[in-house]
Amino acid sequence: MGKLTIAIDGHASTGKSSIAKKLAKSLGYLYINSGSMYRAVTLYAIENNLLELIDLDINKFIKKLKENKIYFKKNENKSISEIYLNKKNIENEIKSLRVSQKVSLIAAVPEIRKEMVKLQRNIDRTKGVVMDGRDIGSVVFPDADIKLFLTASPDIRAKRRHNEMINDGETVNFEDVLENILVRDDLDTTRKDSPLIIEKDAVVIDNSYLSIEDQLAKILALINQKIKL
Ligand code: CDP
């Protein structure tokens, strides 16, 4: 079997990107965080006062969006890919609560999803790819070799995300982080276009009480099983 396409979907703040990064590193694959692309669009809309335009004239917004470049570039020190908007590394900025509070509304807009899915499908998969998000196994790569669905209790997810934000120097309340996670889960699972669902052929992992190492071992075992088939 050649290089695999691995799709990791799941609820908000389930540590998809942490596990996806480690997995990609251990396999020597490319890692793409599709959520950061929706976050980049959100940051662009906030910074250019274009949130209203999305409601008023979505085609005009898409035209403006296309004048910008959203892309990933490898950070040679960390050997992982990071997201850029017009030559600016926005990896940290997109994680802020002001972006998190708008991103799921923006990600529910079909015209925006269409553009992002196009970019995601353009990625070179020949060297193997791990991509995480909400619709990777269902819409972006329904032919993925491995589909994982990550979940964990909301409280544990909020604690992890809150700690991460505090460590990044952001001043945030635990309650606001929890609220944001619950609202995003609701928007992501109930939207009409590409909602978050558990694919029939996905393996569900509840990582409430699993360490990253445990998860990695579990996923690598699944991959080995698949390669032997
Ligand atoms: O906070 P977390 O890492 O869980 O989320 P993310 O992966 O950064 O994604 C942020 C938001 O983008 C999600 O809540 C979804 O609304 C949206 N998203 C999506 O609609 N489809 C994807 N493939 C990835 C993210």
Side-chain angles (χ1 to χ4, degrees):
M1 197 168 211
K3 305 287 185 184
L4 307 179
T5 296
I6 302 174
I8 306 185
D9 290 302
H11 291 118
S13 295
T14 40
K16 295 181 296 295
S17 65
S18 309
I19 192 70
K21 263 182 225 162
K22 278 204 184 286
L23 186 61
K25 211 169 188 178
S26 75
L27 296 169
Y29 284 13
L30 179 66
Y31 163 57
I32 298 291
N33 180 336
S34 69
S36 60
M37 300 169 78
Y38 292 95
R39 286 175 180 272
V41 176
T42 308
L43 182 69
Y44 166 71
I46 293 174
E47 289 197 330
N48 295 282
N49 294 317
L50 295 173
L51 288 172
E52 261 181 26
L53 186 63
I54 295 177
D55 289 332
L56 295 176
D57 189 345
I58 184 63
N59 293 328
K60 197 165 168 191
F61 176 79
I62 296 289
K63 209 171 150 226
K64 279 185 178 290
L65 181 65
K66 283 181 168 173
E67 288 161 10
N68 297 275
K69 218 173 159 234
I70 294 173
Y71 59 99
F72 291 90
K73 206 171 91 182
K74 197 166 178 185
N75 175 331
E76 296 298 343
N77 292 333
K78 296 187 194 164
S79 83
I80 51 148
S81 51
E82 294 185 332
I83 192 152
Y84 283 73
L85 174 64
N86 302 329
K87 299 194 180 152
K88 185 176 174 215
N89 184 323
I90 51 166
E91 193 67 26
N92 287 330
E93 250 174 299
I94 55 165
K95 289 185 194 142
S96 65
L97 198 58
R98 71 179 183 134
V99 171
S100 300
Q101 282 167 337
K102 290 278 180 279
V103 64
S104 293
L105 294 169
I106 287 183
V109 179
E111 290 84 351
I112 293 176
R113 300 203 69 80
K114 202 173 127 208
E115 292 308 316
M116 295 302 110
V117 171
K118 238 191 268 171
L119 293 179
Q120 290 151 13
R121 288 194 181 137
N122 263 339
I123 280 155
D124 178 15
R125 287 199 275 162
T126 53
K127 296 190 180 90
V129 68
V130 182
M131 193 179 289
D132 71 341
R134 300 294 186 287
D135 62 342
I136 310 306
S138 56
V139 175
V140 181
F141 299 135
D143 63 340
D145 303 288
I146 306 261
K147 295 183 188 178
L148 304 170
F149 186 98
L150 295 197
T151 190
S153 82
D155 209 55
I156 288 178
R157 289 190 271 140
K159 272 185 196 135
R160 289 177 187 158
R161 180 54 60 99
H162 185 241
N163 281 341
E164 187 185 50
M165 290 172 123
I166 297 287
N167 286 338
D168 284 348
E170 212 185 332
T171 327
V172 276
N173 284 331
F174 172 78
E175 284 70 27
D176 290 342
V177 175
L178 177 62
E179 161 85 8
N180 175 251
I181 283 175
L182 295 175
V183 169
R184 282 200 289 134
D185 280 354
D186 185 48
L187 289 169
D188 293 345
T189 49
T190 58
R191 70 179 176 221
K192 284 211 175 65
D193 187 355
S194 320
L196 173 64
I197 51 162
I198 305 180
E199 283 284 279
K200 274 194 214 76
D201 49 350
V203 175
V204 179
I205 299 176
D206 183 329
N207 64 21
S208 299
Y209 301 102
L210 287 180
S211 68
I212 289 246
E213 289 71 30
D214 291 343
Q215 291 175 69
L216 188 63
K218 206 177 160 111
I219 297 168
L220 286 173
L222 278 172
I223 293 171
N224 282 332
Q225 211 178 15
K226 180 89 190 178
I227 289 173
K228 274 191 222 126
L229 289 180

